[in-house]
Amino acid sequence: MRIIHQGLGNIGLGIARLVLERGHTIVAAVDLDPAKAGQDLGALLEAAPLGVEVTADAAGALRQPADILIHCTGSRVRAVLPQLEAAVEAQLDVVSTCEELAYPWYHHPEEARRLDDLARRRGVTVVGLGVNPGFVMDALPIMLTAPCRDVTRITAERVVDVSQRRAALQRKVGVGMTPEAFRAGVREGRLGHVGLVESVAMIAGALGWELSRITEEIDPLVDGAAVQGLHQVARGYRADGDPEAAVMLDLVMAMGARDPHDAVAIQGTPPLRLVIAGGIHGDIATWAIAANALPFIVAAPPGLLSVSRLPLLHLTRPLAQRHRAASPGPA
Amino acid sequence: MRIIHQGLGNIGLGIARLVLERGHTIVAAVDLDPAKAGQDLGALLEAAPLGVEVTADAAGALRQPADILIHCTGSRVRAVLPQLEAAVEAQLDVVSTCEELAYPWYHHPEEARRLDDLARRRGVTVVGLGVNPGFVMDALPIMLTAPCRDVTRITAERVVDVSQRRAALQRKVGVGMTPEAFRAGVREGRLGHVGLVESVAMIAGALGWELSRITEEIDPLVDGAAVQGLHQVARGYRADGDPEAAVMLDLVMAMGARDPHDAVAIQGTPPLRLVIAGGIHGDIATWAIAANALPFIVAAPPGLLSVSRLPLLHLTRPLAQRHRAASPGPA
C-alpha cells in the first residue's frame, strides 16, 4: 500500500513505524514544523534513510500517486477540515487520528455532511479512529451489546496512570499546574481529553438512541497545591425523557492513578461487565489501530464512516496477509 | 423484515421471540417434530396466536416470499447442508446457529466452497453465529488484537455453571453419567460442545495464521462417581513450527462450576487480558446475537461469511432503528 503521511508528531511517527513494519510504502511525508521539513523521514524515525524528504508542502505531496493518507495533525474537525478535503479531492482514502472526526455527526453535522458528500463523489473513504476515541470507550462497548436482548444504559471507565507516559500527555492533563490555571486551560480548550463526547455520540448513534444532550465535566485531581491530572466525565441523555444518563463515560488520567484499567458495563438483558486490568496502553494502541485499519478502510464503501461501521478490526500484518492468501478461509 | 424460521427447539424459539419483539414478521415456521407441526407458532411461544402454522414441509415454507431464513436445526455442517442449500436456492439470506457453520473453511472446506459458490450465484449471504461459537471465544478475541502492534498467542477461557441451565444442556455436558459412559459419548460425538475447533480456526483465519493442526480434548469433571460436567480444550498450532499453541480455547461447563467467567488474553504488544465476571449467558446471548445480526446480514455482500467479516455487531432494536432514521448519524 502506498501511503502519504501528514503530521509527524508522536502519534504520526508511531504509526509510520508500524506501517513500515507491515511492509507498506510511505511515498510522501508532510509536516509544517520547520525543524522537520527537509529531513529524511528515516532520521525522524531514528532509523535508516528512507529516501522520503519531509516537506511542508501538503499540496505537492498529495500529487504523489498513493492509496491512502494517514492524517495526524490535530484534534479538531474545523481546524483540519481543509487538509482532509484536499486529500479527498486528490482521491485518497483517509485514516485520521483527529479525535473529533471519530464521530463528527453530533457536534459538527454540517462539516460531516460536507466531507461525506465530497468523499462519496470522489469514491474514497474517510475514517477517524484511535484507541480513544475509536476503540476502548466506544467500539468495544458497542460490540458488547451484540449478545443483549435489550440495553438501558452503558458505562465505560478508563483510568490511566500518566507517570510513565510522555511529557506532552502529562501537560495535556494538567500535571503540575495550579487548579486555577487548570480551570482556565479547560475553559480555553487547551486542556482535557478531546473525543469523549464523540464516543458518547458514537455509542448512541450505533444503538439508534436519539440524544437530547451530551454534558461534559473536566475537573483537576489535586494533591496538595499541584494538579496531578484530570477527571473527565461525559454523559448522554436520551430524548425519551429518561432523567438518568443513557451513556456515561468516565476518564481519569493522572500521575500515579491507582488501579489503571478499562471497564465497560452494559446494563441490559443480560447485564455485562468487562474489565481490562492495567488498561490498554494509549500510544501503542492508537498507532496499531491506525496501521491495522488500513486494509479495512481501503476496502470500505465511499463516504465518511465511523469506526463502528467498519468490519471487525483486528491485527493485520504482512505475514498474516501472506498466510491468508494461501489458506482456505474467506479473504 | 419477513422471516422464515426453521428449527423450533430452545434456540429457535428464543430467537423467534426476540425477532417478534423487534417488529419483524415470521411468515413461515418449520419443524420436523410431529408434536409441533400443525400448531400455531404463537402457542409454541406461549403467546397469542400468530396465524403461522408450524409445518414439517420445508420446501413449501421456502416458497413464501421472505427476506431471510433463521436456521436452528443442527450443529453439524454436513447434516444441515441440504437445508441451507435449499434456502439459498430460494434466494434467501440465511443466519444459522449451526455451530460448525461459524467457520467451516478449516474442517469442511469442500462444503464451505460449495455453499459459498451457490450463495454468490444466488446473491445471498449465509452466516453461522451464536454466542459460542460466533462471539465470546472468537469474534471478541479477534477484535482485541486491533490495538496490538504484534500478537504471538491468544487464549480464551469460558467457565459456565450449568446448574441453573436447561436439562438438555446439562445432558450435553454429561451431568450424571459415569466417566465411562461420558468417554463413550465423546467418542461417538454425542457429548461435548460443538464449535470450539471452529473458533480456533476463525481466530487463525482472521489473523492470517496458517495452522498445521488443531487438537481437541474433552474430559469429564467428576465428583465421586458421577460426572458433573466437562472440560474441553482446543489448541491451534501455527505452521511455522512454533511448538506452543498459538490459539488455546479452554471451556468448562459443569454443575456448580466455581467462578463462572469469560476471559481473553492476548499475548502481544501491548498484552491484554479481558475478564467478564459471571460470563455471558449462553442462551439469551445466542438468541440476541442472531436477532441483532439480521440487518447486518441482509446488508452484507453475497457469499458464505464468517461473523468476523461482518461490520461490528450490536443491539438493533426496532425503537433504535426508528430513532436512527431521525438522527444525523450515518445510517
Side-chain angles (χ1 to χ4, degrees):
Chain A
M1 212 171 280
R2 296 164 306 171
I3 292 164
I4 299 176
H5 223 88
Q6 185 168 15
L8 300 172
N10 170 275
I11 294 293
L13 288 176
I15 298 173
R17 237 171 247 120
L18 265 61
V19 302
L20 293 170
E21 256 180 31
R22 281 157 171 72
H24 304 305
T25 305
I26 298 178
V27 298
V30 182
D31 199 289
L32 297 178
D33 182 350
K36 291 176 182 166
Q39 286 201 58
D40 186 276
L41 177 60
L44 293 184
L45 294 171
E46 294 164 16
L50 287 163
V52 176
E53 188 182 299
V54 177
T55 174
D57 174 18
L62 291 176
R63 282 194 288 273
Q64 295 281 333
D67 302 301
I68 190 163
L69 175 78
I70 297 178
H71 174 271
C72 312
T73 68
S75 302
R76 305 291 184 180
V77 162
R78 280 179 189 152
V80 304
L81 193 60
Q83 296 170 352
L84 300 173
E85 289 179 330
V88 170
E89 289 286 8
Q91 292 193 287
L92 289 170
D93 290 319
V94 178
V95 57
S96 174
T97 56
C98 169
E99 284 88 343
E100 287 185 348
L101 194 69
Y103 200 86
W105 291 270
Y106 190 89
H107 291 87
H108 301 93
E110 280 307 311
E111 289 81 356
R113 196 169 305 126
R114 210 169 91 189
L115 190 57
D116 182 50
D117 284 349
L118 185 64
R120 286 170 195 267
R121 282 203 305 276
R122 294 290 177 267
V124 299
T125 310
V126 179
V127 179
L129 51 66
V131 71
N132 183 30
F135 190 78
V136 70
M137 299 187 90
D138 39 42
L140 189 59
I142 287 168
M143 189 204 192
L144 280 179
T145 67
C148 294
R149 177 178 190 158
D150 51 57
V151 173
T152 48
R153 280 171 229 300
I154 295 179
T155 310
E157 57 193 39
R158 178 166 170 84
V159 175
V160 180
D161 175 4
V162 299
S163 60
Q164 303 303 317
R165 303 285 296 278
R166 57 201 155 87
L169 185 72
Q170 294 176 0
R171 279 194 303 274
K172 205 186 74 169
V173 302
V175 172
M177 287 184 159
T178 63
E180 294 69 32
F182 180 98
R183 293 199 181 279
V186 168
R187 273 194 307 274
E188 293 156 18
R190 285 182 288 105
L191 279 189
H193 168 74
V194 179
L196 207 59
V197 295
E198 280 71 20
S199 291
V200 171
M202 192 197 301
I203 292 172
L207 302 187
W209 291 349
E210 195 186 348
L211 297 181
S212 57
R213 64 200 162 99
I214 299 177
T215 66
E216 187 174 44
E217 292 154 40
I218 307 179
D219 292 304
L221 294 170
V222 182
D223 183 4
V227 170
Q228 298 299 313
L230 62 74
H231 180 206
Q232 186 163 343
V233 181
R235 292 180 176 87
Y237 296 87
R238 266 197 302 261
D240 62 15
D242 184 346
E244 215 181 306
V247 181
M248 184 177 84
L249 305 182
D250 187 311
L251 176 66
V252 167
M253 301 180 81
M255 298 294 279
R258 266 189 274 182
D259 181 26
H261 69 277
D262 284 297
V264 178
I266 309 291
Q267 197 173 313
T269 313
L272 294 176
R273 182 173 160 83
L274 166 160
V275 176
I276 299 173
I280 301 183
H281 189 292
D283 286 347
I284 298 179
T286 287
W287 306 341
I289 286 180
N292 287 328
L294 296 178
F296 296 96
I297 294 172
V298 166
L304 172 63
L305 300 182
S306 86
V307 69
S308 69
R309 304 280 305 159
L310 292 180
L312 199 65
L313 296 184
H314 55 70
L315 184 79
T316 53
R317 303 213 59 189
L319 177 68
Q321 288 173 333
R322 206 158 58 234
H323 281 175
R324 179 178 304 178
S327 83
Chain B
M1 213 172 280
R2 296 164 306 170
I3 291 163
I4 299 177
H5 223 87
Q6 184 167 16
L8 299 172
N10 169 275
I11 295 294
L13 288 176
I15 298 173
R17 235 171 248 122
L18 265 61
V19 302
L20 293 170
E21 258 179 31
R22 279 156 172 72
H24 303 305
T25 305
I26 298 179
V27 298
V30 183
D31 200 289
L32 296 178
D33 183 349
K36 290 176 183 166
Q39 287 200 59
D40 187 275
L41 176 60
L44 293 183
L45 293 171
E46 295 165 14
L50 287 163
V52 176
E53 189 182 299
V54 177
T55 174
D57 174 19
L62 292 176
R63 283 194 288 273
Q64 296 280 335
D67 301 301
I68 190 164
L69 176 77
I70 297 179
H71 175 271
C72 312
T73 67
S75 302
R76 304 291 184 180
V77 162
R78 280 181 188 151
V80 304
L81 193 60
Q83 297 169 353
L84 301 172
E85 289 180 329
V88 170
E89 288 287 7
Q91 291 191 286
L92 289 170
D93 290 320
V94 178
V95 57
S96 174
T97 57
C98 170
E99 283 89 343
E100 287 186 349
L101 194 69
Y103 201 85
W105 291 271
Y106 191 88
H107 290 88
H108 301 93
E110 280 306 311
E111 290 81 356
R113 197 168 303 126
R114 210 170 90 191
L115 190 57
D116 183 49
D117 284 349
L118 186 63
R120 286 171 194 266
R121 283 203 304 276
R122 294 290 176 268
V124 298
T125 311
V126 179
V127 179
L129 51 66
V131 71
N132 184 30
F135 190 79
V136 70
M137 300 187 90
D138 40 41
L140 189 59
I142 288 167
M143 189 203 192
L144 279 180
T145 67
C148 294
R149 176 178 191 159
D150 51 57
V151 174
T152 48
R153 282 172 228 299
I154 295 180
T155 309
E157 57 193 40
R158 177 165 170 84
V159 176
V160 180
D161 175 4
V162 300
S163 60
Q164 303 302 317
R165 303 285 295 278
R166 57 201 156 88
L169 185 73
Q170 295 177 0
R171 279 195 303 274
K172 205 185 75 169
V173 301
V175 173
M177 287 183 161
T178 64
E180 294 70 30
F182 180 97
R183 293 200 181 279
V186 168
R187 274 194 308 274
E188 292 156 18
R190 285 181 288 105
L191 280 189
H193 168 75
V194 180
L196 206 61
V197 294
E198 280 72 19
S199 291
V200 171
M202 192 196 300
I203 292 171
L207 301 188
W209 291 349
E210 195 186 347
L211 297 182
S212 56
R213 63 198 162 99
I214 299 178
T215 65
E216 187 173 44
E217 292 154 39
I218 307 179
D219 292 304
L221 294 169
V222 182
D223 184 4
V227 170
Q228 298 299 312
L230 62 73
H231 180 207
Q232 185 164 345
V233 181
R235 292 181 177 86
Y237 296 86
R238 267 196 303 260
D240 62 14
D242 184 346
E244 217 182 304
V247 181
M248 184 177 83
L249 305 182
D250 187 310
L251 176 66
V252 167
M253 301 180 80
M255 299 292 280
R258 265 190 274 182
D259 183 25
H261 69 277
D262 284 297
V264 177
I266 309 291
Q267 197 173 314
T269 313
L272 294 176
R273 182 174 158 82
L274 165 160
V275 176
I276 299 173
I280 301 183
H281 188 291
D283 287 348
I284 298 179
T286 288
W287 306 341
I289 287 180
N292 287 328
L294 296 178
F296 297 96
I297 294 172
V298 166
L304 172 63
L305 301 182
S306 87
V307 69
S308 69
R309 303 282 302 161
L310 293 179
L312 200 65
L313 295 184
H314 55 69
L315 184 79
T316 54
R317 305 212 58 189
L319 176 69
Q321 289 172 332
R322 206 159 58 235
H323 282 174
R324 178 178 305 179
S327 83

